[in-house]
Amino acid sequence: GQQVMQIPQYQHVQEGEDFTTYCNSSTTLSNIQWYKQRPGGHPVFLIQLVKSGEVKKQKRLTFQFGEAKKNSSLHITATQTTDVGTYFCAASRGSGNTGKLIFGQGTTLQVKP
Amino acid sequence: GAGVSQTPSNKVTEKGKYVELRCDPISGHTALYWYRQSLGQGPEFLIYFQGTGAADDSGLPNDRFFAVRPEGSVSTLKIQRTERGDSAVYLCASSLEGQGFTEAFFGQGTRLTVV
């Protein structure tokens, strides 16, 4: 079945260093979403990418969708302690664009002050 | 309400018992989703409602799991004959509509522990 693989599983960085998490699928995706989950919290929507090669920025966060729409990345520049949490990519199940999502395993980010 | 509300926040039950988990979505959101999240994993899709009907229940693991949304707003996830493997955080999410999806809003979840 459709799967979304995410690496790395964990990342420890010093405050101020950059961070990147990668999401890969063996099948073409109609879209990709990114969520952040703080420890003890619930997933919070960050962004959705739909177009091939799309790049979107939110302050220090840069999101990319691959040309083949099979991979995506989230890059954080100059991490801060407030960036701590688990970042999930998620893709719509099937060919539609709905909230029925397949989530990656997540990348847990720890930031040392 | 301001966000998706789930009750109870925690539920401890004995193996073999029946439990109900409630989700109150954001007012006006027609699409409602249930997910299950085990420790260290991403959320796993269970069921999707568009209005009152279950548009997709392919994620329900077996026939012990059932969900309803009789008036197209509040939803209840029901688990019969609970097993220890059912222990997880059950997340509910809602969105403005099912198709043309832009954003899912998650509740805080119900942590279910089966002892």
Side-chain angles (χ1 to χ4, degrees):
Chain A
Q2 190 177 11
Q3 283 190 318
V4 174
M5 306 302 293
Q6 196 173 348
I7 56 171
Q9 187 175 2
Y10 299 99
Q11 186 80 54
H12 295 249
V13 300
Q14 197 72 39
E15 189 173 23
E17 292 182 338
D18 293 355
F19 159 77
T20 305
T21 173
Y22 300 90
C23 187
N24 295 286
S25 170
S26 58
T27 60
T28 302
L29 304 172
S30 58
N31 59 73
I32 194 94
Q33 293 108 43
W34 286 91
Y35 290 80
K36 177 182 179 181
Q37 187 172 24
R38 293 182 185 275
H42 60 280
V44 175
F45 176 85
L46 294 176
I47 209 159
Q48 176 175 257
L49 304 172
V50 178
K51 299 177 184 176
S52 169
E54 189 169 14
V55 178
K56 288 188 177 180
K57 293 190 176 185
Q58 290 179 351
K59 298 182 180 179
R60 295 178 294 104
L61 278 60
T62 302
F63 303 85
Q64 293 189 335
F65 201 7
E67 293 290 340
K69 299 183 74 173
K70 290 185 176 181
N71 57 74
S72 181
S73 65
L74 158 59
H75 180 81
I76 303 179
T77 303
T79 54
Q80 300 175 358
T81 54
T82 53
D83 295 325
V84 164
T86 300
Y87 293 85
F88 292 99
C89 62
S92 290
R93 286 162 61 102
S95 58
N97 180 20
T98 75
K100 298 179 294 178
L101 302 170
I102 296 175
F103 280 79
Q105 305 95 313
T107 297
T108 299
L109 173 64
Q110 294 281 5
V111 179
K112 289 178 283 188
Chain B
V4 178
S5 176
Q6 291 187 246
T7 54
S9 54
N10 281 284
K11 176 71 176 178
V12 180
T13 190
E14 292 182 345
K15 179 175 177 293
K17 298 290 188 183
Y18 167 82
V19 296
E20 289 190 351
L21 312 179
R22 175 189 169 107
C23 173
D24 199 341
I26 292 173
S27 178
H29 280 193
T30 59
L32 184 146
Y33 314 86
W34 283 98
Y35 286 83
R36 177 169 68 175
Q37 187 173 26
S38 300
L39 193 63
Q41 301 295 317
E44 172 192 10
F45 170 78
L46 297 177
I47 187 169
Y48 154 49
F49 287 91
Q50 183 61 38
T52 60
D56 186 338
D57 65 357
S58 61
L60 295 177
N62 52 60
D63 61 5
R64 295 186 298 105
F65 289 75
F66 189 69
V68 295
R69 195 187 185 198
E71 297 178 358
S73 178
V74 171
S75 177
T76 304
L77 178 66
K78 309 180 181 191
I79 310 174
Q80 298 177 321
R81 304 183 304 279
T82 51
E83 300 177 356
R84 292 197 178 88
D86 299 335
S87 297
V89 175
Y90 288 81
L91 294 164
C92 176
S94 71
S95 64
L96 197 56
E97 56 185 38
Q99 291 295 332
F101 165 81
T102 55
E103 179 174 357
F105 295 83
F106 281 84
Q108 289 285 359
T110 294
R111 182 176 298 278
L112 176 66
T113 303
V114 182
V115 297

